[in-house]
Amino acid sequence: MMATGARCHNSAPARGASNLHSMTRHLVNTQPYNAETALAELTAHETPRNAHYVRSNFATPQLSLEEYELSVGGAVLDAQSFSLDALRALPAHEVLITMECAGNDRLGMQPLPDGEPWASGAVSSARWRGARLREVLARVGVSSDVIEVLAEGADYGPREDALHQSDVRFARAMPLAAANDPDTLVAYEMNGAPIPTMHGAPVRLIVPGWYGMANVKWLQRVSLLTTPFTGYFQSQRYVYDAGGTNTPVTRMRVKSLITSPAPDCVISGAQLEVRGWAWSGFGAITKVEVAVGGGERWESAELETAASPHAWTPWVFRCPMPVAGRLVLRSRASDETGATQPDTAEWNRLGYGNNAVRAVTLTIAA
Ligand SMILES: Nc1nc2c(c(=O)[nH]1)N[C@H]1C(S)=C(S)[C@@H](COP(=O)(O)O)O[C@H]1N2
Ligand SMILES: [Mo]
């Protein structure tokens, strides 16, 4: 049995009543609003709506439900606009996905890159419902020379380092194959209710397996392209910039997270039980190993069942309680492509894709 007393709760109490400061999320930035999920909220397959992390590059746009229109055009046979009702009239599909911000765990990179200082909570899971993007594309008729699908949000703002203009809009493109994936959605519901404003109301894109930036919020326009998109958020942000080579950030690298015991807590009992999640945008999780202490003594954890092929896999590791004192725990996941979490982060200028093994320190009571 593991003691989970007050000392084991690591979510800080709220200061004041503002909903920007809550127990469910930890504030990272107020303008624009960015917040990460408190570890204590990462215990369920589906993260509660009020706890899912929030990452926005600009001020949150307020779109009217009545006037909402998604325009779909570019290299198509018949450009069209879809109202919310028109999207709801298409066959509905639901997917539970784990979404991680590419900047999650930027704080673990040295030297610290510029960018939002995310610790480990810019990852959450939610159930999204909407129309398949490919149904929408079938309605407009995709030209045979289309290679990419561009999604634009309603949000924009100034960017000093933008190459062509000072105001840029949040816009991302994906290969046509990703847009045609049967689980890529034009979503209008999150966890069974309309999407909250901060998560992209009324309509956002859901691209399972990809880092967060592909899941364009406040979706206003979809354009079919016959040449690669090179906009600001495609070629100057969300790229692995390591020594002159810019590789686009795409799918989520294999990663794991220890949710219990919480870091810095004091535990006791006869058995140590470690729990967490593992996910990868490249395929199923095949293995999670845990190391108790330093060195290379990795032992296999037991994999439990993920709630969906696109959602994180729960795992548990049990062993006799080590002797009193400081305890260091690490977890390391592998996926079906054979990829395994590295020991050290692959540094890049903008601090993306840190999936390195992380050490959690706690104390076993004397
Ligand atoms: N329009 C728009 N969509 C966006 C963003 C944004 O700034 N504007 N941020 C992206 C990033 S970087 C992430 S990680 C996810 C976060 O989604 P969430 O706030 O619902 O967690 O939204 C993505 N979609
Ligand atoms: Mo992100």
Side-chain angles (χ1 to χ4, degrees), residues 38-265:
L39 189 64
E41 295 288 343
L42 293 178
T43 50
H45 288 272
E46 188 178 299
T47 312
R49 283 155 55 89
N50 67 350
H52 194 289
Y53 82 92
V54 180
R55 200 292 180 249
S56 300
N57 284 270
F58 304 111
T60 302
Q62 306 282 340
L63 303 184
S64 129
L65 303 191
E66 293 73 37
E67 285 159 38
Y68 176 79
E69 281 206 332
L70 171 64
S71 22
V72 186
V76 300
L77 308 180
D78 176 23
Q80 285 179 44
S81 285
F82 296 80
S83 66
L84 199 48
D85 282 345
L87 291 174
R88 286 184 179 277
L90 295 174
H93 185 59
E94 198 164 61
V95 290
L96 175 58
I97 68 151
T98 295
M99 188 189 298
E100 183 184 18
C101 181
N104 195 26
D105 279 302
R106 179 176 285 123
L107 275 179
M109 282 196 176
Q110 282 178 328
L112 181 63
D114 195 13
E116 299 290 303
W118 298 109
S120 301
V123 60
S124 303
S125 296
R127 198 162 35 89
W128 303 92
R129 185 180 180 82
R132 290 184 164 103
L133 178 56
R134 72 174 185 189
E135 288 275 356
V136 172
L137 298 185
R139 296 286 185 293
V140 297
V142 176
S143 301
S144 59
D145 51 350
V146 164
I147 56 167
E148 286 188 359
V149 178
L150 174 65
E152 290 174 72
D155 53 330
Y156 60 90
R159 277 292 179 273
E160 277 169 14
D161 59 338
L163 289 177
H164 303 297
Q165 76 266 64
S166 53
D167 258 11
V168 287
R169 182 175 289 279
F170 191 85
R172 286 280 308 179
M174 66 183 132
L176 182 61
N180 275 330
D181 187 297
D183 289 332
T184 296
L185 299 186
V186 175
Y188 43 73
E189 274 181 23
M190 174 189 194
N191 295 354
I195 297 178
T197 306
M198 65 179 80
H199 292 297
V203 170
R204 81 176 299 172
L205 217 55
I206 289 298
V207 188
W210 287 55
Y211 277 114
M213 78 280 143
N215 301 262
V216 176
K217 304 195 277 189
W218 312 293
L219 184 65
Q220 278 206 315
R221 187 190 305 272
V222 167
S223 306
L224 290 108
L225 308 182
T226 54
T227 54
F229 177 62
T230 58
Y232 179 82
F233 290 101
Q234 196 83 20
S235 54
Q236 286 183 261
R237 287 292 181 277
Y238 307 111
V239 287
Y240 296 115
D241 177 350
T245 58
N246 276 3
T247 318
V249 173
T250 60
R251 293 177 179 278
M252 298 183 289
R253 292 173 168 173
V254 63
K255 193 160 169 178
S256 62
L257 176 69
I258 295 174
T259 53
S260 171
D264 302 323
C265 74

Side-chain angles (χ1 to χ4, degrees), residues 105 108 120 254-258 289-291 293 295-296 298 328-334 340-346 353-360:
D105 279 302
S120 301
V254 63
K255 193 160 169 178
S256 62
L257 176 69
I258 295 174
E289 300 155 287
V290 170
E296 288 302 314
W298 292 93
V328 184
L329 296 172
R330 289 173 293 163
S331 64
R332 181 170 76 183
S334 303
T340 299
Q341 292 183 252
D343 279 319
T344 49
E346 195 179 279
N354 180 4
N355 68 332
V357 167
R358 251 171 24 97
V360 172

